[in-house]
Amino acid sequence: MRVPHVVADASVVATRNVIKIKRVPDLLVFTTLSPIMFVLLFAYVFGGAIEGGNGDEYRQFLIAGIFAQTVIFGATITGAGLAEDVKKGIIDRFRSLPMSPSAVLTGRTFSDVINNVLVLIVMSLTGLVVGWRITSSFWDAAAGYLLLIVFAYAISWIFAWVGMLVPSPEVVNNASFIIIFPLTFVANTFVPLDTMPAPLQTFAEWNPVSSVTQAARELFGNIPAGTPEPTSWALQHPVAYTLMWSALILAVFVPLANAQYRVSTSR
């Protein structure tokens, strides 16, 4: 099938998923409530203790980490949505239509990009309310948001593969929590790396969640004054390292997810 046809088919699938968000607003509401709760808890409950009473400085440090965690968890909606479509037989209906098989997964992942953009808007407004500010240029800030979206898009293909592999959305949700929760906490998302034990610190330095968080902080102008220079190459070049991970994930999981889609729909 020609590329224009694939794009057109994928846009139809993406539109269908976006309309679902509009008709079931609970999906967006509960997606945004959790990160808002994290912002309020960390900013006002833990912020003073973590930064020795300097809550304002900690809020500048915190928000990029909340952004990273939020978009990564948002990417898991891809897997849960696909697993639900398989369970309800919607994928079988797609298979009966004259459309490209890859359009189903591509449309699903692109619709979740739109969901993440909406969530980032809500999170940014919440951050402004608690005192967070962007101190860099417009283009640097835009690059920070774009990098978050690109990384989340790559993660969504991992969960597209998982969603076609497991039998139900509940399994996807449980698996995503078990995997992503420690990855987003053993990182520089909420605390500086020098507060961690040495083995965890080494892991966190090369954790791509740390690099996307570090890149966002730098691009938003949120690096606290007096912060020591990172010692690992990954955090010295966080934009490049994040893009390398994004490219690697896409190169591995786009073919895997499409292959699993063909297996799942051939049963």
Side-chain angles (χ1 to χ4, degrees):
M1 184 171 288
R2 291 182 300 174
V3 171
H5 291 174
V6 175
V7 172
D9 292 343
S11 67
V12 171
V13 176
T15 302
R16 172 249 180 190
N17 293 319
V18 171
I19 291 173
K20 183 178 179 181
I21 295 174
K22 179 181 177 181
R23 292 180 177 173
V24 189
D26 295 0
L27 293 173
L28 187 60
V29 170
F30 286 105
T31 301
T32 55
L33 279 180
S34 176
I36 289 173
M37 180 186 68
F38 268 105
V39 170
L40 297 178
L41 283 174
F42 276 86
Y44 291 115
V45 178
F46 303 124
I50 292 174
E51 277 296 322
N54 191 354
D56 290 338
E57 184 173 309
Y58 179 66
R59 284 190 282 274
Q60 304 307 313
F61 175 88
L62 169 70
I63 298 301
I66 294 285
F67 283 175
Q69 184 195 56
T70 301
V71 298
I72 292 169
F73 269 107
T76 65
I77 296 174
T78 296
L82 284 169
E84 183 180 16
D85 287 345
V86 171
K87 187 175 181 180
K88 291 182 176 179
I90 294 173
I91 296 295
D92 290 332
R93 297 180 187 177
F94 286 149
R95 187 179 57 176
S96 67
L97 298 174
M99 63 187 299
S100 168
S102 62
V104 176
L105 301 184
T106 303
R108 176 77 242 189
T109 54
F110 271 116
S111 68
D112 291 330
V113 167
I114 296 172
N115 181 74
N116 265 332
V117 169
L118 295 175
V119 170
L120 277 176
I121 292 171
V122 173
M123 291 302 304
S124 297
L125 294 175
T126 306
L128 292 173
V129 169
V130 301
W132 170 70
R133 296 293 182 268
I134 294 174
T135 61
S136 61
S137 69
F138 170 83
W139 293 112
D140 283 344
Y145 282 114
L146 181 61
L147 190 68
L148 288 164
I149 293 298
V150 168
F151 186 71
Y153 179 71
I155 297 294
S156 70
W157 277 98
I158 298 178
F159 286 94
W161 173 67
V162 173
M164 300 307 303
L165 192 64
V166 301
S168 70
E170 291 79 15
V171 176
V172 176
N173 289 330
N174 291 335
S176 65
F177 186 84
I178 292 171
I179 296 170
I180 293 181
F181 202 77
L183 277 178
T184 56
F185 272 83
V186 186
N188 62 355
T189 44
F190 304 117
V191 295
L193 296 184
D194 56 12
T195 64
M196 298 181 182
L200 288 182
Q201 184 174 337
T202 301
F203 174 83
E205 286 176 340
W206 294 93
N207 183 349
V209 177
S210 290
S211 68
V212 71
T213 302
Q214 179 75 9
R217 284 196 184 111
E218 291 181 0
L219 291 167
F220 293 148
N222 292 154
I223 300 295
T227 301
E229 287 292 323
T231 56
S232 68
W233 185 92
L235 296 184
Q236 290 171 351
H237 306 86
V239 175
Y241 189 68
T242 301
L243 291 175
M244 286 168 57
W245 264 102
S246 300
L248 177 62
I249 291 170
L250 289 171
V252 172
F253 284 96
V254 170
L256 276 179
N258 279 287
Q260 188 59 44
Y261 176 85
R262 289 191 291 270
V263 171
S264 299
T265 56
S266 65
R267 294 170 184 167

